Amino acid sequence: MLRVAVLASGRGSNLRALLDAIRRGDLDACIVGVFRDTATAGARAPARDAGSAATHVDPKACATRLDFDRALFDRVDASGADLIVCAGFMRILSPEVVAPRVARMINIHPSLLPRYPGLHTHQRALDAGDREHGASVHVVIPALDAGPVIAQTRLAIEAGDTAETLAARLLPREHRLLVQVVRWCGERRLRFDAERVHFDERLLTGPLAVD
Ligand code: GRF
């Protein structure tokens, strides 16, 4: 069974989606650790409901960014995770910790990458007059939100949409997208590195689509 570590800074709804899918029997995986860089409640509740404590690694207790990253990934490695999922993890990770784990670390990002890496993605899609928006799951590489895109979910932008309405319509799709990609990882259908993604042993020329 796929062993998954989740890194989360915020409310943890993507973590909860994974846990719910596991509980329903829709996802053959186990969450072996939840790792947070913030002391706020957020991802703590879903982790506790699933019977495991979320580990808090405090950036302020570490002298440098790299010290924090090493402390974090020492713990992640100790969990024995096969797959590391960044789900709303709001820190930029050092190349020293990302590079050795590229083939087993993914991130969910709320835009149709390569459009809108970084923050405020919903507002930026609206400001650009886009007719479509979405979310991506991509391989984590040292550059921010820049790794090969594995899969995307898309939705139409409607007249009157605001950043808030868009975010609210996108979130359940994000959850389905992340669960599907983790499922494919568990089924060993996905293989990736810093440059390319293979699905069923075929090189992907564009992201997989998830509704
Ligand atoms: C999601 O929109 C995700 O795409 C982004 O941060 C948000 C995290 O939400 N990276 P949650 O903490 O999983 O609820």
Side-chain angles (χ1 to χ4, degrees), residues 25-76:
D26 286 344
L27 178 62
D28 191 21
C30 62
I31 306 294
V32 293
V34 175
F35 301 88
R36 301 178 311 122
D37 62 325
T38 50
T40 50
R44 207 164 46 205
R48 190 195 49 225
D49 295 353
S52 68
T55 303
H56 175 214
V57 184
D58 185 358
K60 290 195 288 293
C62 303
T64 65
R65 196 180 92 181
L66 186 55
D67 285 348
F68 168 82
D69 290 349
R70 289 197 173 125
L72 174 70
F73 280 94
D74 281 352
R75 290 169 173 80
V76 171

Tab-separated table of all heavy atoms in Angstrom, residues 25-76:
chain	number	residue	atom	x	y	z
A	25	GLY	N	-12.778	3.721	1.051
A	25	GLY	CA	-12.278	2.593	0.258
A	25	GLY	C	-12.023	2.972	-1.186
A	25	GLY	O	-11.846	2.108	-2.049
A	26	ASP	N	-11.992	4.285	-1.484
A	26	ASP	CA	-11.760	4.748	-2.859
A	26	ASP	C	-10.287	4.960	-3.156
A	26	ASP	O	-9.927	5.292	-4.288
A	26	ASP	CB	-12.452	6.102	-3.090
A	26	ASP	CG	-13.943	5.941	-3.221
A	26	ASP	OD1	-14.387	4.804	-3.428
A	26	ASP	OD2	-14.654	6.952	-3.116
A	27	LEU	N	-9.462	4.866	-2.148
A	27	LEU	CA	-8.040	5.136	-2.336
A	27	LEU	C	-7.252	4.167	-1.468
A	27	LEU	O	-7.401	4.166	-0.243
A	27	LEU	CB	-7.728	6.591	-1.929
A	27	LEU	CG	-6.264	7.032	-2.031
A	27	LEU	CD1	-5.781	6.961	-3.471
A	27	LEU	CD2	-6.112	8.458	-1.487
A	28	ASP	N	-6.442	3.356	-2.133
A	28	ASP	CA	-5.667	2.339	-1.427
A	28	ASP	C	-4.318	2.950	-1.048
A	28	ASP	O	-3.355	2.843	-1.796
A	28	ASP	CB	-5.504	1.129	-2.352
A	28	ASP	CG	-4.954	-0.067	-1.607
A	28	ASP	OD1	-5.081	-0.096	-0.372
A	28	ASP	OD2	-4.393	-0.959	-2.269
A	29	ALA	N	-4.303	3.646	0.066
A	29	ALA	CA	-3.079	4.333	0.504
A	29	ALA	C	-3.191	4.535	2.009
A	29	ALA	O	-4.274	4.366	2.579
A	29	ALA	CB	-2.963	5.688	-0.197
A	30	CYS	N	-2.091	4.852	2.655
A	30	CYS	CA	-2.213	5.273	4.049
A	30	CYS	C	-1.372	6.531	4.266
A	30	CYS	O	-0.303	6.700	3.661
A	30	CYS	CB	-1.864	4.165	5.025
A	30	CYS	SG	-0.196	3.603	4.904
A	31	ILE	N	-1.916	7.419	5.074
A	31	ILE	CA	-1.212	8.666	5.403
A	31	ILE	C	-0.295	8.339	6.587
A	31	ILE	O	-0.771	8.096	7.697
A	31	ILE	CB	-2.210	9.786	5.779
A	31	ILE	CG1	-3.271	9.993	4.681
A	31	ILE	CG2	-1.450	11.090	6.078
A	31	ILE	CD1	-2.768	10.509	3.366
A	32	VAL	N	1.003	8.331	6.329
A	32	VAL	CA	1.942	7.940	7.384
A	32	VAL	C	2.444	9.141	8.182
A	32	VAL	O	3.082	8.970	9.216
A	32	VAL	CB	3.140	7.148	6.815
A	32	VAL	CG1	2.674	5.802	6.285
A	32	VAL	CG2	3.871	7.934	5.740
A	33	GLY	N	2.140	10.325	7.709
A	33	GLY	CA	2.555	11.498	8.469
A	33	GLY	C	1.980	12.762	7.873
A	33	GLY	O	1.778	12.851	6.658
A	34	VAL	N	1.680	13.718	8.758
A	34	VAL	CA	1.246	15.046	8.336
A	34	VAL	C	2.226	16.027	8.960
A	34	VAL	O	2.498	15.958	10.166
A	34	VAL	CB	-0.191	15.332	8.831
A	34	VAL	CG1	-0.601	16.758	8.503
A	34	VAL	CG2	-1.170	14.325	8.222
A	35	PHE	N	2.759	16.905	8.145
A	35	PHE	CA	3.845	17.779	8.597
A	35	PHE	C	3.460	19.224	8.333
A	35	PHE	O	3.082	19.578	7.213
A	35	PHE	CB	5.143	17.411	7.865
A	35	PHE	CG	5.520	15.978	8.114
A	35	PHE	CD1	5.037	14.966	7.295
A	35	PHE	CD2	6.302	15.645	9.205
A	35	PHE	CE1	5.345	13.638	7.548
A	35	PHE	CE2	6.611	14.320	9.470
A	35	PHE	CZ	6.137	13.306	8.638
A	36	ARG	N	3.555	20.037	9.387
A	36	ARG	CA	3.105	21.426	9.286
A	36	ARG	C	4.218	22.367	9.690
A	36	ARG	O	5.047	22.045	10.550
A	36	ARG	CB	1.911	21.659	10.219
A	36	ARG	CG	0.729	20.760	9.934
A	36	ARG	CD	-0.396	20.987	10.915
A	36	ARG	NE	0.081	20.987	12.284
A	36	ARG	CZ	-0.063	21.993	13.129
A	36	ARG	NH1	-0.678	23.100	12.750
A	36	ARG	NH2	0.401	21.917	14.353
A	37	ASP	N	4.204	23.550	9.092
A	37	ASP	CA	5.181	24.576	9.475
A	37	ASP	C	4.502	25.693	10.252
A	37	ASP	O	5.139	26.678	10.597
A	37	ASP	CB	5.855	25.161	8.222
A	37	ASP	CG	4.857	25.839	7.303
A	37	ASP	OD1	3.705	25.352	7.211
A	37	ASP	OD2	5.197	26.848	6.675
A	38	THR	N	3.205	25.546	10.495
A	38	THR	CA	2.460	26.592	11.196
A	38	THR	C	1.820	25.993	12.443
A	38	THR	O	1.502	24.800	12.464
A	38	THR	CB	1.326	27.153	10.309
A	38	THR	OG1	0.579	26.042	9.790
A	38	THR	CG2	1.869	27.975	9.159
A	39	ALA	N	1.613	26.847	13.441
A	39	ALA	CA	1.038	26.350	14.688
A	39	ALA	C	-0.490	26.438	14.684
A	39	ALA	O	-1.149	25.964	15.592
A	39	ALA	CB	1.600	27.148	15.859
A	40	THR	N	-1.056	27.025	13.636
A	40	THR	CA	-2.511	27.191	13.582
A	40	THR	C	-3.196	25.828	13.443
A	40	THR	O	-2.568	24.857	13.019
A	40	THR	CB	-2.903	28.066	12.381
A	40	THR	OG1	-2.251	27.535	11.232
A	40	THR	CG2	-2.476	29.499	12.578
A	41	ALA	N	-4.484	25.810	13.755
A	41	ALA	CA	-5.231	24.542	13.786
A	41	ALA	C	-5.124	23.794	12.454
A	41	ALA	O	-4.507	22.742	12.377
A	41	ALA	CB	-6.673	24.809	14.145
A	42	GLY	N	-5.684	24.361	11.405
A	42	GLY	CA	-5.612	23.817	10.058
A	42	GLY	C	-5.586	22.312	9.962
A	42	GLY	O	-6.505	21.634	10.406
A	43	ALA	N	-4.505	21.817	9.386
A	43	ALA	CA	-4.401	20.385	9.075
A	43	ALA	C	-4.347	19.502	10.318
A	43	ALA	O	-4.397	18.292	10.200
A	43	ALA	CB	-3.161	20.152	8.223
A	44	ARG	N	-4.272	20.114	11.494
A	44	ARG	CA	-4.192	19.301	12.709
A	44	ARG	C	-5.469	18.470	12.889
A	44	ARG	O	-5.405	17.302	13.268
A	44	ARG	CB	-3.994	20.208	13.917
A	44	ARG	CG	-3.278	19.532	15.049
A	44	ARG	CD	-2.755	20.519	16.047
A	44	ARG	NE	-3.717	21.546	16.430
A	44	ARG	CZ	-3.386	22.737	16.883
A	44	ARG	NH1	-2.133	23.085	16.974
A	44	ARG	NH2	-4.303	23.599	17.232
A	45	ALA	N	-6.626	19.101	12.610
A	45	ALA	CA	-7.894	18.418	12.876
A	45	ALA	C	-8.072	17.174	12.006
A	45	ALA	O	-8.325	16.092	12.546
A	45	ALA	CB	-9.053	19.394	12.702
A	46	PRO	N	-7.926	17.276	10.675
A	46	PRO	CA	-8.065	16.045	9.888
A	46	PRO	C	-7.061	14.968	10.294
A	46	PRO	O	-7.397	13.781	10.301
A	46	PRO	CB	-7.822	16.490	8.434
A	46	PRO	CG	-7.649	17.951	8.430
A	46	PRO	CD	-7.778	18.462	9.828
A	47	ALA	N	-5.853	15.367	10.643
A	47	ALA	CA	-4.852	14.377	11.052
A	47	ALA	C	-5.308	13.685	12.330
A	47	ALA	O	-5.282	12.461	12.440
A	47	ALA	CB	-3.497	15.047	11.259
A	48	ARG	N	-5.777	14.490	13.288
A	48	ARG	CA	-6.218	13.916	14.568
A	48	ARG	C	-7.409	12.984	14.350
A	48	ARG	O	-7.461	11.884	14.895
A	48	ARG	CB	-6.589	15.054	15.521
A	48	ARG	CG	-6.832	14.621	16.954
A	48	ARG	CD	-7.538	15.730	17.705
A	48	ARG	NE	-8.675	16.226	16.957
A	48	ARG	CZ	-8.974	17.517	16.778
A	48	ARG	NH1	-8.224	18.451	17.288
A	48	ARG	NH2	-10.046	17.864	16.078
A	49	ASP	N	-8.361	13.412	13.491
A	49	ASP	CA	-9.527	12.558	13.222
A	49	ASP	C	-9.096	11.218	12.668
A	49	ASP	O	-9.764	10.209	12.870
A	49	ASP	CB	-10.471	13.231	12.209
A	49	ASP	CG	-11.082	14.506	12.782
A	49	ASP	OD1	-10.871	14.765	13.985
A	49	ASP	OD2	-11.746	15.229	12.016
A	50	ALA	N	-7.989	11.216	11.933
A	50	ALA	CA	-7.518	9.963	11.331
A	50	ALA	C	-6.643	9.178	12.306
A	50	ALA	O	-6.090	8.148	11.962
A	50	ALA	CB	-6.736	10.262	10.058
A	51	GLY	N	-6.523	9.695	13.520
A	51	GLY	CA	-5.810	8.941	14.546
A	51	GLY	C	-4.311	9.155	14.539
A	51	GLY	O	-3.569	8.392	15.147
A	52	SER	N	-3.847	10.212	13.842
A	52	SER	CA	-2.403	10.456	13.894
A	52	SER	C	-2.158	11.936	14.192
A	52	SER	O	-2.897	12.799	13.715
A	52	SER	CB	-1.752	10.079	12.561
A	52	SER	OG	-2.160	10.965	11.563
A	53	ALA	N	-1.150	12.213	14.947
A	53	ALA	CA	-0.848	13.601	15.270
A	53	ALA	C	-0.105	14.233	14.101
A	53	ALA	O	0.673	13.568	13.419
A	53	ALA	CB	0.014	13.654	16.516
A	54	ALA	N	-0.376	15.508	13.856
A	54	ALA	CA	0.394	16.221	12.841
A	54	ALA	C	1.679	16.726	13.492
A	54	ALA	O	1.648	17.272	14.595
A	54	ALA	CB	-0.433	17.374	12.296
A	55	THR	N	2.779	16.528	12.835
A	55	THR	CA	4.065	16.983	13.356
A	55	THR	C	4.262	18.448	12.991
A	55	THR	O	4.138	18.813	11.820
A	55	THR	CB	5.204	16.159	12.726
A	55	THR	OG1	4.951	14.784	13.005
A	55	THR	CG2	6.556	16.560	13.278
A	56	HIS	N	4.548	19.261	13.983
A	56	HIS	CA	4.812	20.673	13.718
A	56	HIS	C	6.311	20.914	13.782
A	56	HIS	O	6.937	20.668	14.810
A	56	HIS	CB	4.085	21.546	14.762
A	56	HIS	CG	4.389	22.998	14.641
A	56	HIS	ND1	4.470	23.845	15.714
A	56	HIS	CD2	4.648	23.760	13.552
A	56	HIS	CE1	4.758	25.063	15.305
A	56	HIS	NE2	4.870	25.041	13.992
A	57	VAL	N	6.873	21.357	12.675
A	57	VAL	CA	8.287	21.741	12.676
A	57	VAL	C	8.286	23.264	12.600
A	57	VAL	O	7.762	23.846	11.650
A	57	VAL	CB	9.044	21.117	11.482
A	57	VAL	CG1	10.524	21.458	11.568
A	57	VAL	CG2	8.843	19.608	11.458
A	58	ASP	N	8.835	23.892	13.626
A	58	ASP	CA	8.721	25.348	13.759
A	58	ASP	C	9.898	26.043	13.059
A	58	ASP	O	11.047	25.899	13.491
A	58	ASP	CB	8.708	25.700	15.249
A	58	ASP	CG	8.459	27.195	15.479
A	58	ASP	OD1	8.330	27.934	14.480
A	58	ASP	OD2	8.388	27.592	16.649
A	59	PRO	N	9.610	26.790	11.998
A	59	PRO	CA	10.702	27.482	11.301
A	59	PRO	C	11.487	28.416	12.223
A	59	PRO	O	12.688	28.602	12.057
A	59	PRO	CB	9.999	28.276	10.203
A	59	PRO	CG	8.666	27.660	10.056
A	59	PRO	CD	8.309	27.066	11.382
A	60	LYS	N	10.796	28.977	13.222
A	60	LYS	CA	11.465	29.942	14.104
A	60	LYS	C	12.507	29.260	15.004
A	60	LYS	O	13.409	29.906	15.532
A	60	LYS	CB	10.434	30.687	14.950
A	60	LYS	CG	9.589	31.652	14.112
A	60	LYS	CD	8.825	32.655	14.952
A	60	LYS	CE	7.676	32.029	15.705
A	60	LYS	NZ	6.577	31.531	14.839
A	61	ALA	N	12.364	27.956	15.168
A	61	ALA	CA	13.327	27.221	16.002
A	61	ALA	C	14.571	26.817	15.203
A	61	ALA	O	15.492	26.211	15.752
A	61	ALA	CB	12.656	25.976	16.582
A	62	CYS	N	14.568	27.145	13.919
A	62	CYS	CA	15.696	26.755	13.063
A	62	CYS	C	16.457	28.016	12.638
A	62	CYS	O	15.845	29.030	12.304
A	62	CYS	CB	15.195	26.013	11.829
A	62	CYS	SG	14.218	24.559	12.234
A	63	ALA	N	17.779	27.914	12.625
A	63	ALA	CA	18.602	29.097	12.349
A	63	ALA	C	18.467	29.559	10.897
A	63	ALA	O	18.435	30.758	10.618
A	63	ALA	CB	20.064	28.802	12.683
A	64	THR	N	18.385	28.627	9.980
A	64	THR	CA	18.316	29.003	8.565
A	64	THR	C	17.188	28.220	7.889
A	64	THR	O	16.683	27.237	8.441
A	64	THR	CB	19.621	28.644	7.824
A	64	THR	OG1	19.754	27.215	7.822
A	64	THR	CG2	20.837	29.275	8.485
A	65	ARG	N	16.865	28.656	6.691
A	65	ARG	CA	15.837	27.963	5.916
A	65	ARG	C	16.259	26.519	5.669
A	65	ARG	O	15.465	25.591	5.774
A	65	ARG	CB	15.643	28.708	4.590
A	65	ARG	CG	14.369	28.319	3.893
A	65	ARG	CD	14.217	29.081	2.607
A	65	ARG	NE	14.782	28.317	1.516
A	65	ARG	CZ	14.815	28.719	0.258
A	65	ARG	NH1	14.346	29.892	-0.072
A	65	ARG	NH2	15.316	27.967	-0.685
A	66	LEU	N	17.539	26.348	5.370
A	66	LEU	CA	18.023	24.996	5.081
A	66	LEU	C	17.955	24.105	6.323
A	66	LEU	O	17.617	22.921	6.227
A	66	LEU	CB	19.451	25.061	4.523
A	66	LEU	CG	20.038	23.744	4.028
A	66	LEU	CD1	19.143	23.072	2.987
A	66	LEU	CD2	21.439	23.980	3.432
A	67	ASP	N	18.244	24.676	7.490
A	67	ASP	CA	18.120	23.903	8.741
A	67	ASP	C	16.688	23.414	8.921
A	67	ASP	O	16.441	22.281	9.315
A	67	ASP	CB	18.497	24.756	9.960
A	67	ASP	CG	19.996	24.963	10.071
A	67	ASP	OD1	20.743	24.274	9.347
A	67	ASP	OD2	20.406	25.826	10.865
A	68	PHE	N	15.746	24.336	8.659
A	68	PHE	CA	14.334	23.944	8.777
A	68	PHE	C	14.022	22.822	7.793
A	68	PHE	O	13.412	21.808	8.156
A	68	PHE	CB	13.412	25.142	8.505
A	68	PHE	CG	11.979	24.730	8.341
A	68	PHE	CD1	11.165	24.516	9.442
A	68	PHE	CD2	11.452	24.514	7.068
A	68	PHE	CE1	9.848	24.091	9.288
A	68	PHE	CE2	10.141	24.087	6.909
A	68	PHE	CZ	9.344	23.885	8.019
A	69	ASP	N	14.426	23.015	6.547
A	69	ASP	CA	14.110	22.017	5.522
A	69	ASP	C	14.692	20.653	5.891
A	69	ASP	O	14.048	19.624	5.712
A	69	ASP	CB	14.652	22.466	4.162
A	69	ASP	CG	13.883	23.664	3.606
A	69	ASP	OD1	12.832	23.994	4.172
A	69	ASP	OD2	14.351	24.252	2.614
A	70	ARG	N	15.920	20.664	6.421
A	70	ARG	CA	16.542	19.386	6.796
A	70	ARG	C	15.800	18.745	7.972
A	70	ARG	O	15.567	17.536	7.976
A	70	ARG	CB	18.011	19.599	7.153
A	70	ARG	CG	18.844	19.908	5.917
A	70	ARG	CD	20.333	19.718	6.195
A	70	ARG	NE	21.104	19.857	4.970
A	70	ARG	CZ	22.117	20.704	4.800
A	70	ARG	NH1	22.497	21.498	5.794
A	70	ARG	NH2	22.764	20.754	3.649
A	71	ALA	N	15.423	19.571	8.948
A	71	ALA	CA	14.683	19.035	10.103
A	71	ALA	C	13.350	18.453	9.653
A	71	ALA	O	12.937	17.365	10.091
A	71	ALA	CB	14.456	20.142	11.135
A	72	LEU	N	12.697	19.170	8.740
A	72	LEU	CA	11.403	18.702	8.224
A	72	LEU	C	11.567	17.369	7.505
A	72	LEU	O	10.849	16.399	7.776
A	72	LEU	CB	10.831	19.767	7.281
A	72	LEU	CG	9.562	19.395	6.531
A	72	LEU	CD1	8.383	19.309	7.496
A	72	LEU	CD2	9.252	20.431	5.446
A	73	PHE	N	12.518	17.318	6.586
A	73	PHE	CA	12.623	16.109	5.758
A	73	PHE	C	13.263	14.943	6.507
A	73	PHE	O	13.037	13.791	6.133
A	73	PHE	CB	13.302	16.427	4.425
A	73	PHE	CG	12.322	17.041	3.473
A	73	PHE	CD1	12.199	18.413	3.363
A	73	PHE	CD2	11.461	16.244	2.732
A	73	PHE	CE1	11.255	18.982	2.520
A	73	PHE	CE2	10.507	16.797	1.893
A	73	PHE	CZ	10.416	18.173	1.788
A	74	ASP	N	14.019	15.207	7.583
A	74	ASP	CA	14.433	14.089	8.458
A	74	ASP	C	13.193	13.384	8.995
A	74	ASP	O	13.124	12.159	9.036
A	74	ASP	CB	15.254	14.606	9.643
A	74	ASP	CG	16.691	14.910	9.248
A	74	ASP	OD1	17.082	14.578	8.105
A	74	ASP	OD2	17.415	15.508	10.069
A	75	ARG	N	12.209	14.190	9.392
A	75	ARG	CA	10.986	13.599	9.947
A	75	ARG	C	10.160	12.918	8.857
A	75	ARG	O	9.590	11.858	9.077
A	75	ARG	CB	10.170	14.663	10.670
A	75	ARG	CG	10.829	15.133	11.972
A	75	ARG	CD	10.109	16.372	12.483
A	75	ARG	NE	10.546	16.814	13.784
A	75	ARG	CZ	11.660	17.527	14.016
A	75	ARG	NH1	12.480	17.843	13.015
A	75	ARG	NH2	11.962	17.922	15.230
A	76	VAL	N	10.078	13.571	7.702
A	76	VAL	CA	9.320	12.966	6.597
A	76	VAL	C	9.940	11.616	6.229
A	76	VAL	O	9.241	10.616	6.075
A	76	VAL	CB	9.294	13.915	5.368
A	76	VAL	CG1	8.704	13.213	4.150
A	76	VAL	CG2	8.515	15.191	5.688
